[in-house]
Amino acid sequence: MKKELGLYVHIPFCKSKCAYCNFNSYANKFSLMNDYLVCLLNEIKHYSKDYKNNYITTIYIGGGTPSTLTSGAVNTIISTIKQNYNVTKNCEISIEANPNSITYDNALEWNRCGVNRVSVGLQTTKPNLLKLLNRTHTKQDYINAINTLKSVGFTNINTDLMICLPTQKQSQIKSAINLVNKLGCTHISTYSLILEEGTPLYEKVKNNQIKPLKESKSVSMYKYTIKYLRKCGFKQYEVSNFAKNGMCCKHNVNCWNMVPYLGFGAGAHSFNGKQRYSNVCGIEDYISKINKDYVAVETSEICTNKSLFEEYVMLGLRKTNGINLSYILKNYNIDLLNTKNKEINFYIKNNYLILENNKLYATIDGFLILNKIILDLVC
Ligand SMILES: C[S@@+](CC[C@H](N)C(=O)[O-])C[C@H]1O[C@@H](n2cnc3c(N)ncnc32)[C@H](O)[C@@H]1O
Ligand code: SF4
């Protein structure tokens, strides 16, 4: 029987490093791009022999900034995948892009080679916040980028926004959402700022150069964002993800549903249903490992029943349709309603969780304390 599989391709290059970002991405390493691409294609081909019985329903080219790839590279990556794997006819093929590296030519190339979903990082429309975040584009660059994408035929476009930024106001979120909606995007991801240790923004907060948004303001901003997105027709399907007319990101939904995926490139993670592994993060290390033996795995871990159960709860409670208790009993042999009766009742009584048709899901208040709920249910 053929099994479903997702593919993730990591592009670790960025024009500059944003002040909040600790993703595996590097500025000023463009001289390694050609060697990196050769390795990426070799890695993609190398693994294909083990996955002849799988069919690929989603491909996600993420980063870093895939829109900085040289002309023809996205086409080559997708053609190589199509030549070596069973890619379904209606496979969702997404690419992440930054507003100031979307051009008519690369948008046309992506559209022609089968990319059918583009995710654009706007983060904020406010010039002072763009500056604080060290983003190198303007609001107008974003507007031009979306119009360019639409002009070559893209209809499935996501925009990433960041909320709970220092000094940010609800009215700014409202006007950003209005802009994204007016331009016709079908999906919005809104990420609450995480101050990642070691990033310039974290250091500024630590040294009292800037004040983070107060906890109470962050909570009301998150709630406001959900409410306003709903008013604009974007339905929430995960903590940070909202879509119009069912235009959810299939790749992410599949990952949250624990459909196996293979990750290619520096720092990419894979999950084949039984085992998790991840590649080395450094671009140079990745290139030298792939050149040596076509594999760049640094860590691997065999999944146990317990770790799969934990993952199911952790990923499942992020989705608005939550976790299925019968599924947990059948697949992990855990009667959660029984073993965690006290905890579940507490969260239901206090309006953090809802139990319906043997499914448990978080309310908006529940999303705000999700880490605690998950710990209580799995430990
Ligand atoms: C893979 S990243 C970047 C994609 C693309 N390079 C860009 O910058 O738009 C995907 C998204 O994660 C979010 N993100 C990254 N670091 C974050 C942080 N520290 N806190 C909250 N959101 C973050 C940003 O919204 C970003 O667009
Ligand atoms: S947020 Fe995006 S553009 Fe900025 S450094 Fe991270 S990956 Fe690169």
Side-chain angles (χ1 to χ4, degrees), residues 356-367:
E356 222 170 55
N357 300 329
N358 226 20
K359 272 187 166 183
L360 197 59
Y361 57 90
T363 61
I364 293 172
D365 283 316
F367 281 150

Side-chain angles (χ1 to χ4, degrees), residues 170-206:
Q170 283 186 5
S171 57
Q172 297 169 355
I173 311 269
K174 183 178 175 183
S175 69
I177 292 173
N178 285 342
L179 175 69
V180 174
N181 193 20
K182 195 175 99 197
L183 288 169
C185 293
T186 47
H187 191 289
I188 300 187
S189 302
T190 54
Y191 298 109
S192 299
L193 173 69
I194 301 171
L195 282 169
E196 301 280 4
E197 218 175 316
T199 58
L201 201 59
Y202 175 91
E203 292 303 321
K204 276 191 180 162
V205 170
K206 202 174 107 188

Side-chain angles (χ1 to χ4, degrees), residues 16-207:
S16 55
K17 193 78 187 170
C18 302
Y20 54 86
C21 179
N22 82 341
F23 276 74
N24 187 37
S25 65
Y26 308 86
N28 307 320
K29 292 222 174 183
F30 284 99
S31 59
L32 296 171
M33 193 184 270
N34 283 344
D35 288 348
Y36 184 79
L37 266 172
V38 171
C39 290
L40 206 48
L41 301 178
N42 283 335
E43 192 190 19
I44 290 170
K45 287 186 228 164
H46 176 77
Y47 278 97
S48 66
K49 61 182 185 314
D50 299 331
Y51 292 90
K52 292 289 175 218
N53 283 332
N54 290 80
Y55 60 96
I56 311 300
T57 50
T58 65
I59 299 170
Y60 195 101
I61 306 179
T65 313
S67 47
T68 58
L69 282 169
T70 41
S71 165
V74 173
N75 183 21
T76 310
I77 291 169
I78 291 176
S79 314
T80 305
I81 291 175
K82 286 184 175 167
Q83 281 156 18
N84 290 277
Y85 293 82
N86 306 306
V87 177
T88 58
K89 219 172 140 208
N90 57 355
C91 179
E92 177 191 84
I93 307 182
S94 307
I95 191 165
E96 281 179 352
N98 278 23
N100 55 356
S101 50
I102 294 174
T103 62
Y104 181 79
D105 288 348
N106 62 16
L108 192 65
E109 175 196 328
W110 305 340
N111 193 266
R112 286 195 174 151
C113 72
V115 173
N116 46 34
R117 183 175 186 276
V118 185
S119 175
V120 184
L122 168 63
Q123 321 309 350
T124 168
T125 54
K126 284 282 140 202
N128 63 324
L129 287 178
L130 285 168
K131 193 166 169 219
L132 176 74
L133 300 180
N134 198 30
R135 298 288 293 183
T136 53
H137 58 83
T138 62
K139 173 180 162 186
Q140 190 57 47
D141 289 334
Y142 167 77
I143 296 171
N144 297 345
I146 300 295
N147 286 331
T148 301
L149 291 172
K150 289 196 296 188
S151 74
V152 302
F154 284 108
T155 52
N156 189 353
I157 305 174
N158 167 61
T159 294
D160 282 351
L161 293 176
M162 289 175 76
I163 63 170
C164 309
L165 298 170
T167 75
Q168 200 175 28
K169 308 257 179 322
Q170 283 186 5
S171 57
Q172 297 169 355
I173 311 269
K174 183 178 175 183
S175 69
I177 292 173
N178 285 342
L179 175 69
V180 174
N181 193 20
K182 195 175 99 197
L183 288 169
C185 293
T186 47
H187 191 289
I188 300 187
S189 302
T190 54
Y191 298 109
S192 299
L193 173 69
I194 301 171
L195 282 169
E196 301 280 4
E197 218 175 316
T199 58
L201 201 59
Y202 175 91
E203 292 303 321
K204 276 191 180 162
V205 170
K206 202 174 107 188
N207 300 332

